[in-house]
Amino acid sequence: MNLKEAAAREAALKTLLDTVKDAYEDARKETRTALEAAAETTGVRQVAVALPDGPDIATVSLSSGEAAAKIVDEDAFTAWVLANYGSEIERKFITTVRAAFTDRLLKQMTAAGAAEYADPETGVIHEVPGVQIAPARARTHSVRFKKDGREQVMQAWREGRLTAAVLPELIAGGAE
């Protein structure tokens, strides 16, 4: 293959790749929205996926998000650490809490599921200002293919069975 042919092939594949990527992202958002609605209304959190007029090829499942402690008010958090654990303050031109102490506190608060810190030496439970438990990872979903699911998708594509409902942007004369 000469340079001109290689460049033409790359340009064509790049166009197809971008089109497929955009269609995939749209489909992923639509699926997540539908899964979240189903989970809320009926408790359904997964669905079997089949090809048009074909066998099941995969399962799509909704995953739960995660919550973690995070600092939302740096000044309030720093003032609390200064008042209760002054040795964990690093004095520079600005006052900051030592990173290792912050990490340890946030991990303990995440594990506890509350913006509270139990001092291991005194047993005092502190409500820690400036920290809250908040979503750390957005809810998402996954596609798990059956053993030969991917091969079945490719075969359906080669046979022209992935209809305009599945891949409208890729079918000649399909949706624009």
Side-chain angles (χ1 to χ4, degrees):
M1 179 178 305
N2 66 35
L3 174 58
K4 192 166 186 106
E5 292 168 338
R9 180 173 183 254
E10 179 184 359
L13 290 172
K14 170 82 170 119
T15 300
L16 294 172
L17 177 65
D18 292 346
T19 301
V20 168
K21 183 176 183 257
D22 291 344
Y24 172 74
E25 292 300 326
D26 290 345
R28 189 160 173 79
K29 287 176 191 170
E30 186 177 349
T31 301
R32 186 175 57 247
T33 299
L35 275 169
E36 288 174 347
E40 189 172 313
T41 59
T42 65
V44 171
R45 299 178 53 86
Q46 71 179 24
V47 63
V49 179
L51 291 171
D53 300 322
D56 285 355
I57 57 159
T59 302
V60 176
S61 304
L62 185 64
S63 69
S64 300
E66 291 180 358
K70 69 180 189 177
I71 296 170
V72 295
D73 183 339
E74 186 74 38
D75 292 338
F77 177 72
T78 300
W80 175 81
V81 173
L82 182 61
N84 293 280
Y85 300 94
S87 64
E88 298 299 331
I89 295 292
E90 292 180 330
R91 300 210 184 264
K92 301 177 182 177
F93 290 111
I94 58 170
T95 302
T96 62
V97 179
R98 295 178 198 271
F101 185 70
T102 298
D103 291 345
R104 186 170 73 239
L105 283 179
L106 293 178
K107 284 179 185 172
Q108 289 178 8
M109 287 184 268
T110 296
E116 297 177 340
Y117 174 68
D119 188 316
E121 292 181 17
T122 65
V124 173
I125 297 176
H126 299 273
E127 287 186 28
V128 183
V131 176
Q132 70 181 31
I133 304 298
R137 185 183 65 152
R139 187 180 230 184
T140 188
H141 65 278
S142 63
V143 177
R144 292 181 315 277
F145 284 93
K146 293 188 179 284
K147 183 178 178 183
D148 60 348
R150 289 178 187 270
E151 291 80 16
Q152 289 179 357
V153 171
M154 293 306 297
Q155 185 64 33
W157 179 54
R158 286 189 288 274
E159 294 172 358
R161 292 188 291 124
L162 295 182
T163 65
V166 177
L167 299 176
E169 291 86 1
L170 301 180
I171 297 173
E176 292 293 319

mmCIF file of all heavy atoms in Angstrom, residues 26-59:
data_model
loop_
_atom_site.group_PDB
_atom_site.id
_atom_site.type_symbol
_atom_site.label_atom_id
_atom_site.label_comp_id
_atom_site.label_asym_id
_atom_site.label_seq_id
_atom_site.Cartn_x
_atom_site.Cartn_y
_atom_site.Cartn_z
ATOM 1 N N ASP A 26 -23.863 8.389 22.868
ATOM 2 C CA ASP A 26 -25.302 8.684 22.930
ATOM 3 C C ASP A 26 -26.085 7.465 23.430
ATOM 4 O O ASP A 26 -26.964 7.583 24.282
ATOM 5 C CB ASP A 26 -25.838 9.117 21.562
ATOM 6 C CG ASP A 26 -25.330 10.488 21.146
ATOM 7 O OD1 ASP A 26 -24.799 11.243 22.003
ATOM 8 O OD2 ASP A 26 -25.448 10.820 19.945
ATOM 9 N N ALA A 27 -25.761 6.290 22.898
ATOM 10 C CA ALA A 27 -26.451 5.059 23.301
ATOM 11 C C ALA A 27 -26.178 4.748 24.772
ATOM 12 O O ALA A 27 -27.073 4.311 25.499
ATOM 13 C CB ALA A 27 -26.007 3.888 22.422
ATOM 14 N N ARG A 28 -24.965 4.979 25.205
ATOM 15 C CA ARG A 28 -24.593 4.722 26.597
ATOM 16 C C ARG A 28 -25.396 5.622 27.542
ATOM 17 O O ARG A 28 -25.895 5.164 28.571
ATOM 18 C CB ARG A 28 -23.087 4.920 26.773
ATOM 19 C CG ARG A 28 -22.585 4.472 28.096
ATOM 20 C CD ARG A 28 -21.079 4.219 28.053
ATOM 21 N NE ARG A 28 -20.614 3.941 29.380
ATOM 22 C CZ ARG A 28 -20.738 2.767 30.000
ATOM 23 N NH1 ARG A 28 -21.300 1.750 29.378
ATOM 24 N NH2 ARG A 28 -20.302 2.591 31.222
ATOM 25 N N LYS A 29 -25.519 6.902 27.202
ATOM 26 C CA LYS A 29 -26.302 7.830 28.025
ATOM 27 C C LYS A 29 -27.774 7.410 28.060
ATOM 28 O O LYS A 29 -28.411 7.417 29.114
ATOM 29 C CB LYS A 29 -26.185 9.257 27.481
ATOM 30 C CG LYS A 29 -24.849 9.897 27.740
ATOM 31 C CD LYS A 29 -24.770 11.268 27.096
ATOM 32 C CE LYS A 29 -23.357 11.793 27.113
ATOM 33 N NZ LYS A 29 -23.207 13.002 26.305
ATOM 34 N N GLU A 30 -28.301 7.034 26.908
ATOM 35 C CA GLU A 30 -29.700 6.613 26.825
ATOM 36 C C GLU A 30 -29.937 5.345 27.652
ATOM 37 O O GLU A 30 -30.934 5.238 28.365
ATOM 38 C CB GLU A 30 -30.077 6.381 25.357
ATOM 39 C CG GLU A 30 -31.534 6.079 25.138
ATOM 40 C CD GLU A 30 -31.874 5.931 23.651
ATOM 41 O OE1 GLU A 30 -31.037 6.266 22.792
ATOM 42 O OE2 GLU A 30 -32.989 5.464 23.371
ATOM 43 N N THR A 31 -29.010 4.403 27.566
ATOM 44 C CA THR A 31 -29.132 3.164 28.328
ATOM 45 C C THR A 31 -29.071 3.432 29.826
ATOM 46 O O THR A 31 -29.886 2.905 30.595
ATOM 47 C CB THR A 31 -28.030 2.155 27.927
ATOM 48 O OG1 THR A 31 -28.152 1.877 26.536
ATOM 49 C CG2 THR A 31 -28.113 0.868 28.729
ATOM 50 N N ARG A 32 -28.119 4.259 30.258
ATOM 51 C CA ARG A 32 -27.999 4.563 31.678
ATOM 52 C C ARG A 32 -29.263 5.236 32.204
ATOM 53 O O ARG A 32 -29.770 4.905 33.276
ATOM 54 C CB ARG A 32 -26.772 5.421 31.976
ATOM 55 C CG ARG A 32 -26.568 5.624 33.478
ATOM 56 C CD ARG A 32 -25.290 6.368 33.844
ATOM 57 N NE ARG A 32 -25.222 7.655 33.212
ATOM 58 C CZ ARG A 32 -24.326 7.999 32.270
ATOM 59 N NH1 ARG A 32 -23.432 7.138 31.858
ATOM 60 N NH2 ARG A 32 -24.333 9.203 31.761
ATOM 61 N N THR A 33 -29.802 6.178 31.437
ATOM 62 C CA THR A 33 -31.030 6.860 31.835
ATOM 63 C C THR A 33 -32.176 5.860 31.974
ATOM 64 O O THR A 33 -32.930 5.890 32.953
ATOM 65 C CB THR A 33 -31.391 7.960 30.815
ATOM 66 O OG1 THR A 33 -30.323 8.915 30.782
ATOM 67 C CG2 THR A 33 -32.679 8.657 31.175
ATOM 68 N N ALA A 34 -32.305 4.962 31.006
ATOM 69 C CA ALA A 34 -33.374 3.958 31.045
ATOM 70 C C ALA A 34 -33.172 2.984 32.208
ATOM 71 O O ALA A 34 -34.132 2.606 32.884
ATOM 72 C CB ALA A 34 -33.440 3.204 29.720
ATOM 73 N N LEU A 35 -31.932 2.575 32.463
ATOM 74 C CA LEU A 35 -31.654 1.675 33.576
ATOM 75 C C LEU A 35 -31.964 2.344 34.915
ATOM 76 O O LEU A 35 -32.543 1.723 35.812
ATOM 77 C CB LEU A 35 -30.185 1.235 33.567
ATOM 78 C CG LEU A 35 -29.824 0.049 32.696
ATOM 79 C CD1 LEU A 35 -28.312 -0.099 32.591
ATOM 80 C CD2 LEU A 35 -30.439 -1.231 33.229
ATOM 81 N N GLU A 36 -31.579 3.609 35.064
ATOM 82 C CA GLU A 36 -31.856 4.332 36.308
ATOM 83 C C GLU A 36 -33.358 4.470 36.522
ATOM 84 O O GLU A 36 -33.846 4.301 37.644
ATOM 85 C CB GLU A 36 -31.166 5.695 36.307
ATOM 86 C CG GLU A 36 -29.662 5.571 36.478
ATOM 87 C CD GLU A 36 -28.918 6.882 36.331
ATOM 88 O OE1 GLU A 36 -29.517 7.885 35.858
ATOM 89 O OE2 GLU A 36 -27.727 6.917 36.685
ATOM 90 N N ALA A 37 -34.104 4.747 35.446
ATOM 91 C CA ALA A 37 -35.561 4.860 35.552
ATOM 92 C C ALA A 37 -36.169 3.511 35.940
ATOM 93 O O ALA A 37 -37.048 3.438 36.804
ATOM 94 C CB ALA A 37 -36.157 5.363 34.241
ATOM 95 N N ALA A 38 -35.701 2.444 35.318
ATOM 96 C CA ALA A 38 -36.212 1.105 35.629
ATOM 97 C C ALA A 38 -35.897 0.727 37.077
ATOM 98 O O ALA A 38 -36.732 0.163 37.773
ATOM 99 C CB ALA A 38 -35.632 0.072 34.664
ATOM 100 N N ALA A 39 -34.682 1.039 37.523
ATOM 101 C CA ALA A 39 -34.300 0.715 38.899
ATOM 102 C C ALA A 39 -35.175 1.469 39.891
ATOM 103 O O ALA A 39 -35.580 0.924 40.917
ATOM 104 C CB ALA A 39 -32.828 1.050 39.134
ATOM 105 N N GLU A 40 -35.485 2.711 39.581
ATOM 106 C CA GLU A 40 -36.295 3.527 40.483
ATOM 107 C C GLU A 40 -37.754 3.075 40.513
ATOM 108 O O GLU A 40 -38.376 3.026 41.569
ATOM 109 C CB GLU A 40 -36.211 4.996 40.063
ATOM 110 C CG GLU A 40 -36.836 5.948 41.057
ATOM 111 C CD GLU A 40 -36.579 7.395 40.707
ATOM 112 O OE1 GLU A 40 -35.428 7.744 40.397
ATOM 113 O OE2 GLU A 40 -37.546 8.175 40.739
ATOM 114 N N THR A 41 -38.300 2.732 39.351
ATOM 115 C CA THR A 41 -39.734 2.407 39.292
ATOM 116 C C THR A 41 -40.049 0.942 39.551
ATOM 117 O O THR A 41 -41.066 0.632 40.159
ATOM 118 C CB THR A 41 -40.337 2.813 37.932
ATOM 119 O OG1 THR A 41 -39.651 2.131 36.890
ATOM 120 C CG2 THR A 41 -40.259 4.308 37.720
ATOM 121 N N THR A 42 -39.189 0.033 39.083
ATOM 122 C CA THR A 42 -39.498 -1.394 39.211
ATOM 123 C C THR A 42 -38.433 -2.202 39.939
ATOM 124 O O THR A 42 -38.627 -3.383 40.200
ATOM 125 C CB THR A 42 -39.698 -2.036 37.822
ATOM 126 O OG1 THR A 42 -38.447 -1.986 37.110
ATOM 127 C CG2 THR A 42 -40.780 -1.331 37.029
ATOM 128 N N GLY A 43 -37.284 -1.582 40.217
ATOM 129 C CA GLY A 43 -36.204 -2.303 40.871
ATOM 130 C C GLY A 43 -35.324 -3.083 39.916
ATOM 131 O O GLY A 43 -34.342 -3.697 40.325
ATOM 132 N N VAL A 44 -35.639 -3.054 38.619
ATOM 133 C CA VAL A 44 -34.841 -3.772 37.617
ATOM 134 C C VAL A 44 -33.514 -3.039 37.428
ATOM 135 O O VAL A 44 -33.490 -1.838 37.162
ATOM 136 C CB VAL A 44 -35.592 -3.879 36.275
ATOM 137 C CG1 VAL A 44 -34.688 -4.425 35.179
ATOM 138 C CG2 VAL A 44 -36.821 -4.746 36.436
ATOM 139 N N ARG A 45 -32.390 -3.770 37.588
ATOM 140 C CA ARG A 45 -31.069 -3.166 37.472
ATOM 141 C C ARG A 45 -30.222 -3.793 36.363
ATOM 142 O O ARG A 45 -29.070 -3.441 36.194
ATOM 143 C CB ARG A 45 -30.334 -3.281 38.802
ATOM 144 C CG ARG A 45 -31.047 -2.552 39.939
ATOM 145 C CD ARG A 45 -30.339 -2.712 41.258
ATOM 146 N NE ARG A 45 -28.955 -2.358 41.232
ATOM 147 C CZ ARG A 45 -28.467 -1.134 41.411
ATOM 148 N NH1 ARG A 45 -29.267 -0.140 41.631
ATOM 149 N NH2 ARG A 45 -27.163 -0.923 41.373
ATOM 150 N N GLN A 46 -30.785 -4.753 35.634
ATOM 151 C CA GLN A 46 -30.045 -5.339 34.516
ATOM 152 C C GLN A 46 -31.025 -5.839 33.476
ATOM 153 O O GLN A 46 -32.200 -6.072 33.757
ATOM 154 C CB GLN A 46 -29.108 -6.440 34.965
ATOM 155 C CG GLN A 46 -29.757 -7.717 35.416
ATOM 156 C CD GLN A 46 -28.711 -8.754 35.809
ATOM 157 O OE1 GLN A 46 -27.593 -8.434 36.168
ATOM 158 N NE2 GLN A 46 -29.089 -10.007 35.734
ATOM 159 N N VAL A 47 -30.511 -5.988 32.260
ATOM 160 C CA VAL A 47 -31.345 -6.437 31.155
ATOM 161 C C VAL A 47 -30.497 -7.305 30.226
ATOM 162 O O VAL A 47 -29.315 -7.038 30.020
ATOM 163 C CB VAL A 47 -31.960 -5.234 30.393
ATOM 164 C CG1 VAL A 47 -30.890 -4.369 29.759
ATOM 165 C CG2 VAL A 47 -32.973 -5.683 29.362
ATOM 166 N N ALA A 48 -31.122 -8.356 29.699
ATOM 167 C CA ALA A 48 -30.454 -9.195 28.700
ATOM 168 C C ALA A 48 -30.521 -8.464 27.369
ATOM 169 O O ALA A 48 -31.509 -7.793 27.055
ATOM 170 C CB ALA A 48 -31.143 -10.548 28.597
ATOM 171 N N VAL A 49 -29.471 -8.585 26.587
ATOM 172 C CA VAL A 49 -29.380 -7.909 25.292
ATOM 173 C C VAL A 49 -29.367 -8.958 24.193
ATOM 174 O O VAL A 49 -28.612 -9.923 24.263
ATOM 175 C CB VAL A 49 -28.095 -7.060 25.197
ATOM 176 C CG1 VAL A 49 -27.985 -6.387 23.846
ATOM 177 C CG2 VAL A 49 -28.055 -6.037 26.321
ATOM 178 N N ALA A 50 -30.215 -8.748 23.188
ATOM 179 C CA ALA A 50 -30.273 -9.669 22.055
ATOM 180 C C ALA A 50 -30.096 -8.880 20.766
ATOM 181 O O ALA A 50 -30.430 -7.699 20.690
ATOM 182 C CB ALA A 50 -31.607 -10.399 22.030
ATOM 183 N N LEU A 51 -29.579 -9.537 19.752
ATOM 184 C CA LEU A 51 -29.511 -8.951 18.423
ATOM 185 C C LEU A 51 -30.911 -8.923 17.820
ATOM 186 O O LEU A 51 -31.768 -9.718 18.218
ATOM 187 C CB LEU A 51 -28.593 -9.786 17.522
ATOM 188 C CG LEU A 51 -27.114 -9.741 17.883
ATOM 189 C CD1 LEU A 51 -26.354 -10.777 17.070
ATOM 190 C CD2 LEU A 51 -26.556 -8.345 17.630
ATOM 191 N N PRO A 52 -31.156 -8.021 16.849
ATOM 192 C CA PRO A 52 -32.458 -8.064 16.178
ATOM 193 C C PRO A 52 -32.677 -9.468 15.600
ATOM 194 O O PRO A 52 -31.812 -9.989 14.898
ATOM 195 C CB PRO A 52 -32.319 -7.025 15.066
ATOM 196 C CG PRO A 52 -31.239 -6.099 15.536
ATOM 197 C CD PRO A 52 -30.295 -6.961 16.333
ATOM 198 N N ASP A 53 -33.776 -10.092 15.941
ATOM 199 C CA ASP A 53 -34.100 -11.445 15.485
ATOM 200 C C ASP A 53 -32.981 -12.435 15.795
ATOM 201 O O ASP A 53 -32.694 -13.325 14.993
ATOM 202 C CB ASP A 53 -34.392 -11.460 13.974
ATOM 203 C CG ASP A 53 -35.551 -10.559 13.626
ATOM 204 O OD1 ASP A 53 -36.515 -10.513 14.421
ATOM 205 O OD2 ASP A 53 -35.486 -9.890 12.582
ATOM 206 N N GLY A 54 -32.328 -12.265 16.936
ATOM 207 C CA GLY A 54 -31.217 -13.152 17.233
ATOM 208 C C GLY A 54 -31.135 -13.523 18.699
ATOM 209 O O GLY A 54 -32.020 -13.190 19.497
ATOM 210 N N PRO A 55 -30.066 -14.204 19.058
ATOM 211 C CA PRO A 55 -29.895 -14.706 20.424
ATOM 212 C C PRO A 55 -29.419 -13.605 21.377
ATOM 213 O O PRO A 55 -28.963 -12.538 20.955
ATOM 214 C CB PRO A 55 -28.796 -15.757 20.259
ATOM 215 C CG PRO A 55 -27.970 -15.222 19.129
ATOM 216 C CD PRO A 55 -28.961 -14.575 18.187
ATOM 217 N N ASP A 56 -29.517 -13.906 22.689
ATOM 218 C CA ASP A 56 -28.929 -13.017 23.690
ATOM 219 C C ASP A 56 -27.421 -13.001 23.493
ATOM 220 O O ASP A 56 -26.804 -14.051 23.271
ATOM 221 C CB ASP A 56 -29.240 -13.519 25.107
ATOM 222 C CG ASP A 56 -30.674 -13.253 25.518
ATOM 223 O OD1 ASP A 56 -31.409 -12.598 24.752
ATOM 224 O OD2 ASP A 56 -31.062 -13.698 26.617
ATOM 225 N N ILE A 57 -26.853 -11.817 23.549
ATOM 226 C CA ILE A 57 -25.407 -11.682 23.362
ATOM 227 C C ILE A 57 -24.703 -11.095 24.569
ATOM 228 O O ILE A 57 -23.488 -11.188 24.687
ATOM 229 C CB ILE A 57 -25.086 -10.805 22.135
ATOM 230 C CG1 ILE A 57 -25.745 -9.437 22.275
ATOM 231 C CG2 ILE A 57 -25.487 -11.501 20.843
ATOM 232 C CD1 ILE A 57 -25.138 -8.356 21.439
ATOM 233 N N ALA A 58 -25.479 -10.430 25.471
ATOM 234 C CA ALA A 58 -24.838 -9.753 26.598
ATOM 235 C C ALA A 58 -25.871 -9.442 27.672
ATOM 236 O O ALA A 58 -27.071 -9.610 27.474
ATOM 237 C CB ALA A 58 -24.190 -8.452 26.126
ATOM 238 N N THR A 59 -25.360 -8.964 28.803
ATOM 239 C CA THR A 59 -26.190 -8.449 29.886
ATOM 240 C C THR A 59 -25.678 -7.059 30.217
ATOM 241 O O THR A 59 -24.472 -6.854 30.338
ATOM 242 C CB THR A 59 -26.088 -9.347 31.139
ATOM 243 O OG1 THR A 59 -26.498 -10.665 30.781
ATOM 244 C CG2 THR A 59 -26.957 -8.830 32.258
#
